[in-house]
Amino acid sequence: MRIPKSHMNRAGPSQQKPKFYLTTPIYYANSRPHVGSAYTTIVCDAIARYKRMCGYEVAYLTGTDEHGVNIERAAEEAGITPQQLVDTNEKIFRELWKLLGITTTDFIRTTSREHARAVQMLVRRTLERDRVLSPEKRSIYKDKYEGRYCIYDNAYVSDTPEPADCPTCGRPAELIAEENYFFRLSAYQEKLLQLYREKPGFVQPDFRRNEVKSFVEAGLKDVSISRKTIKWGIPWPDDPEHVFYVWYDALASYLSGIGYGSEDPQEQEKFGRFWPADLHMIGKEIIRFHAVYWPAFLMAADLPLPNQIFAHGWLLFEQEKMSKSKGNVAYPEPIVKVLGNDALRYYLLRETVFGQDGNFSREGLITRYNADLANGLGNLASRVLTMVWNYRNGWVPGISEKFRSTPPHDQWFSADVEAAKVRTIGTVRLAYDSFQFALAAEEIWRAIANWGDQFLTATQPWVEAQKPGQEWLVDSWLRLVAETLRSTVILAHPLIPEATLKIWQQLGQEQKLEDIRMDHLRWDAWKQTRPIGKCEPVFPRADKKEAWERMEAMEQEIRNPAGAQPVGTSSAPAGSANNKITIEDFARVEMRVGVVQSAERIPGADKLLKLLVDIGDETRQILAGIALAYAPEDLLGRKVVIVANLAPRKMRGLESNGMLLAASVGPDGKPVLCTFAEEIPPGARVK
């Protein structure tokens, strides 16, 4: 299928709205998503909702990256096929996005037939263009590769066989030696630099663009885009011994997800409508693939480039990037089930300066929920709606002409006040346009405080309502504060869609909230054709201790589902004949060689040490009760044996993801670690 450039961004007769196409990263489906994974998706959802409220037709894509050696290895370890593994994890991603109320329009799986066809079509398009070029100028060529490769970040680390660690994750890179198809990335160095010069907004924030530019200026090396030693992938067209390199495969999802390569005319039309992407939203660790490789792949295929790539920072937990192997992850489900979806959305968008690293804190989450949501917007909505019911039987009254002309009430219609309202709307919209969600929230909540709570506190309509002849005053006050609540709900909808929708319905508004045009918003556009709805709290105040304990219990349930017995344990009492196990029982215990990378004492725990142990394909955090027998500095570099498939458990607020094997010596049971005299690589199985 050839897509003429003239058709790339053409709207059909019934598609008059401007288009906006944004994407999340295509998430790697080797494990369940945590709060860090959900962060990008929530950010994109806020953008998508805002764009729809500005009149755009939005295509919003997410999906799962389901190929590569990590999937193969995770499936083998779990004793299932790669397809079974990705089917299970893909379902978890979909269910989480549904729980979070994510409004994606498209979901792509890299194991789908449609995606495979698109990937092969993309490379065929490049190969066709190569045919008219001399061999040394072709974008794709075959050659032998020998070097070090990081399977975790799917990136080449060095072009020599010498041992090397991945600069991104720090793990040892594996030696790869095979014949590959290569992409001549070196030939695109000047074209990429020209792109960054002519389109400075292509990579954002600015400091990320400077990082990318410096990387390209230092010189680009050609990259392998196929594999022979891996079988779990999309076959190379006309050469099925090779499968596509996982990054070439995954990046093409942004095309296949909106119809590229499809045989369906409607999907072809969709691709013509929405490509190029307006925004690829990604984490900073994958910026090189998106800002260097991806535009080069598209240039080689003569396809339009995306308009912008925005690389945000990491969401940290205890000042470290969330990682299952470190045991420092938080999952979204407990937060949503205890505090609601909007609590998580608001905290992540309000607390983090977008583009920079942010820190996740459960205590901070609950504090922000109570302060801004329960005591802020929730309290304002409850006060306004209750007074409208109590004093006006559910109908919001109008503003009295006497009120408009009587000092000091006439100040609410002064040019300065009107300008401030317009300025608030403009500031919020500008913040949304530049992805400054914290600034948008700050401005909206300032309006809640200044135009809502402070107004009610100063005027006290509940006092005036008891005085005869003051109906004109109470009516006017109620109308002003109801208009403030209505405008606030509209502005906050991209941030907290569930609560704002409930308040909108309680306000008796007939027009759908998502159909309100934020770019046409006026502070005094109140319309009501029916009584307001029943006043129900949208953000009940949370008891910090109770909320914390409920979330903690749910986190433990996710890590260790109810009824699951830790591998290698027996329910029979010690010393009984039934305590003997079979060889099959023993085979279920996975023991592996590890190398201690770091060791430190845990404050307040005399016997515990916190260790980071390299077990070959990952680094585990393990808490071990050996502090009385071993000094931390004596353990560095020591080979140990760990039980690798033991269910995680929490101690002293930290998660331990494994167990060291040790002998118990002497009357005091002094632990002596199992180790090896021979050279054995980390990760080797102990049988």
Side-chain angles (χ1 to χ4, degrees):
M1 179 182 75
R2 287 186 175 274
I3 306 294
K5 281 190 175 181
S6 61
H7 187 64
M8 284 292 175
N9 198 24
R10 189 180 69 200
S14 63
Q15 297 173 315
Q16 299 302 316
K17 290 183 178 181
K19 70 92 179 176
F20 192 84
Y21 174 36
L22 78 160
T23 69
T24 72
I26 307 302
Y27 297 107
Y28 206 52
N30 64 335
S31 61
R32 76 179 300 125
H34 49 64
V35 168
S37 314
Y39 177 52
T40 313
T41 315
I42 290 172
V43 163
C44 286
D45 192 68
I47 296 170
R49 290 176 183 273
Y50 168 68
K51 288 295 182 180
R52 293 187 189 108
M53 294 181 75
C54 291
Y56 286 84
E57 181 183 4
V58 174
Y60 175 15
L61 173 75
T62 190
T64 44
D65 177 6
E66 302 179 1
H67 287 133
V69 67
N70 270 349
I71 298 291
E72 281 187 325
R73 292 186 177 185
E76 181 181 0
E77 186 173 330
I80 58 178
T81 68
Q83 190 64 57
Q84 289 173 320
L85 175 69
V86 297
D87 285 347
T88 298
N89 288 335
E90 178 266 346
K91 184 179 179 182
I92 293 173
F93 274 91
R94 283 188 187 267
E95 289 176 346
L96 176 59
W97 302 154
K98 182 178 180 181
L99 177 69
L100 295 179
I102 302 300
T103 57
T104 52
T105 58
D106 300 276
F107 190 102
I108 189 66
R109 298 183 63 180
T110 62
T111 54
S112 68
R113 185 172 63 89
E114 295 79 10
H115 176 70
R117 184 169 53 242
V119 172
Q120 292 174 337
M121 179 176 169
L122 180 64
V123 82
R124 286 186 190 277
R125 188 180 175 103
T126 303
L127 292 171
E128 286 176 9
R129 298 185 73 238
D130 276 353
R131 287 197 180 98
V132 300
L133 302 175
S134 58
E136 67 277 5
K137 293 185 178 180
R138 291 174 181 169
S139 295
I140 295 175
Y141 63 93
K142 218 172 189 181
D143 202 354
K144 185 177 181 180
Y145 175 81
E146 187 174 26
R148 294 284 171 174
Y149 180 78
C150 178
I151 63 168
Y152 305 97
D153 296 297
N154 296 309
Y156 285 97
V157 172
S158 73
D159 292 324
T160 69
E162 299 301 319
D165 293 337
C166 175
T168 302
C169 69
R171 296 182 174 110
E174 295 192 2
L175 179 63
I176 299 289
E178 62 181 23
E179 183 184 57
N180 288 171
Y181 284 96
F182 279 76
F183 181 83
R184 204 180 301 275
L185 187 63
S186 57
Y188 289 85
Q189 180 169 334
E190 185 50 45
K191 291 180 180 179
L192 289 167
L193 292 174
Q194 182 180 355
L195 169 65
Y196 308 146
R197 288 193 301 269
E198 295 179 353
K199 198 174 179 181
F202 180 72
V203 180
Q204 288 295 305
D206 290 343
F207 63 93
R208 298 290 178 210
R209 183 185 69 242
N210 293 334
E211 290 175 6
V212 170
K213 183 181 174 185
S214 297
F215 172 76
V216 175
E217 286 175 337
L220 295 176
K221 296 179 181 180
D222 298 348
V223 295
S224 166
I225 57 172
S226 77
R227 298 288 183 273
K228 286 185 72 175
T229 55
I230 301 172
K231 300 305 177 186
W232 182 243
I234 297 172
W236 190 274
D238 306 320
D239 196 352
E241 287 189 347
H242 292 257
V243 300
F244 279 89
Y245 168 46
V246 68
W247 269 109
Y248 192 97
D249 173 354
L251 289 166
S253 298
Y254 303 135
L255 300 173
S256 64
I258 54 162
Y260 179 77
S262 176
E263 297 171 344
D264 183 341
Q266 288 186 333
E267 288 296 301
Q268 294 175 13
E269 181 67 27
K270 184 177 182 180
F271 178 74
R273 164 75 168 140
F274 285 103
W275 189 261
D278 294 276
L279 175 65
H280 290 321
M281 186 65 72
I282 61 170
K284 65 181 182 179
E285 72 277 10
I286 54 175
I287 189 170
R288 187 181 304 175
F289 301 102
H290 286 78
V292 181
Y293 291 18
W294 182 224
F297 294 162
L298 292 170
M299 289 175 184
D302 193 29
L303 287 172
L305 306 186
N307 292 328
Q308 187 176 81
I309 294 160
F310 197 106
H312 63 73
W314 286 336
L315 191 63
L316 308 177
F317 186 89
E318 297 180 353
Q319 302 301 323
E320 288 187 302
K321 184 174 184 271
M322 289 194 188
S323 167
K324 286 189 70 177
S325 61
K326 292 181 180 178
N328 66 340
V329 300
Y331 293 102
E333 293 90 341
I335 298 168
V336 173
K337 291 174 182 177
V338 173
L339 297 177
N341 181 21
D342 286 340
L344 175 61
R345 289 178 66 107
Y346 181 76
Y347 175 74
L348 294 179
L349 297 172
R350 175 67 177 85
E351 201 71 15
T352 303
V353 177
F354 195 65
Q356 301 178 17
D357 289 346
N359 190 52
F360 178 84
S361 159
R362 193 178 292 163
E363 182 175 0
L365 166 72
I366 301 171
T367 299
R368 179 67 75 177
Y369 169 86
N370 280 330
D372 289 11
L373 299 181
N375 295 342
L377 179 58
N379 183 54
L380 176 63
S382 178
R383 296 172 76 186
V384 172
L385 295 167
T386 299
M387 285 189 292
V388 171
W389 267 116
N390 289 346
Y391 306 142
R392 296 300 178 262
N393 296 317
W395 287 90
V396 176
I399 296 176
S400 164
E401 288 302 319
K402 181 180 178 180
F403 185 86
R404 292 178 184 274
S405 58
T406 303
H409 310 305
D410 59 345
Q411 67 176 308
W412 294 102
F413 308 99
S414 69
D416 288 344
V417 170
E418 294 304 313
K421 294 177 180 177
V422 172
R423 189 163 54 250
T424 295
I425 296 171
T427 300
V428 172
R429 287 202 57 217
L430 186 62
Y432 280 140
D433 284 331
S434 55
F435 313 142
Q436 297 182 64
F437 307 104
L439 176 60
E442 183 180 344
E443 191 67 23
I444 294 167
W445 262 255
R446 184 181 293 118
I448 293 172
N450 293 348
W451 299 94
D453 287 334
Q454 287 184 16
F455 177 84
L456 289 176
T457 300
T459 57
Q460 297 184 326
W462 52 89
V463 174
E464 296 299 320
Q466 309 305 318
K467 300 178 181 178
Q470 294 296 88
E471 291 83 1
W472 65 276
L473 189 57
V474 175
D475 284 354
S476 302
W477 282 341
L478 290 181
R479 176 59 172 265
L480 281 177
V481 78
E483 286 184 348
T484 294
L485 181 59
R486 173 188 177 275
S487 299
T488 299
V489 163
I490 295 170
L491 291 173
H493 185 61
L495 302 178
I496 49 172
E498 291 185 3
T500 49
L501 181 58
K502 290 177 182 177
I503 297 172
W504 185 258
Q505 293 167 344
Q506 290 177 24
L507 284 171
Q509 300 295 294
E510 286 191 339
Q511 187 178 1
K512 290 183 177 180
L513 178 54
E514 55 268 27
D515 291 341
I516 297 291
R517 290 289 295 271
M518 198 180 294
D519 52 336
H520 298 164
L521 178 62
R522 292 186 6 254
W523 209 270
D524 57 349
W526 178 273
K527 291 181 181 179
Q528 185 183 5
T529 59
R530 57 188 177 186
I532 65 171
K534 182 181 179 182
C535 179
E536 296 179 348
V538 290
F539 293 118
R541 184 170 177 81
D543 178 86
K544 182 175 288 189
K545 183 175 184 294
E546 180 187 354
W548 184 295
E549 290 176 349
R550 288 178 63 197
M551 285 190 281
E552 179 71 21
M554 291 181 190
E555 289 266 359
Q556 291 299 328
E557 177 65 21
I558 290 173
R559 293 187 175 95
N560 187 23
Q565 186 170 311
V567 174
T569 66
S570 171
S571 57
S576 72
N578 291 334
N579 203 35
K580 293 184 177 181
I581 63 173
T582 67
I583 188 65
E584 288 78 14
D585 292 329
F586 178 74
R588 294 173 62 201
V589 182
E590 181 186 341
M591 293 181 287
R592 296 170 70 175
V593 176
V595 177
V596 178
Q597 300 293 305
S598 69
E600 59 183 277
R601 298 187 184 277
I602 299 174
D606 295 338
K607 296 181 180 181
L608 282 180
L609 292 182
K610 183 175 77 171
L611 311 176
L612 290 182
V613 182
D614 177 8
I615 59 170
D617 57 357
E618 62 176 304
T619 300
R620 294 279 188 93
Q621 175 175 285
I622 297 176
L623 306 185
I626 57 174
L628 299 180
Y630 293 93
E633 59 271 18
D634 294 336
L635 293 171
L636 299 182
R638 189 184 185 106
K639 288 186 174 64
V640 293
V641 179
I642 77 161
V643 178
N645 59 345
L646 193 66
R649 60 175 297 192
K650 280 250 181 165
M651 293 183 283
R652 298 281 181 167
L654 299 173
E655 184 174 88
S656 182
N657 205 349
M659 181 178 71
L660 299 188
L661 293 190
S664 181
V665 179
D668 57 353
K670 177 183 176 182
V672 177
L673 292 172
C674 298
T675 188
F676 303 90
E678 296 84 354
E679 284 298 320
I680 301 176
R685 294 289 295 266
V686 179
K687 301 179 180 180

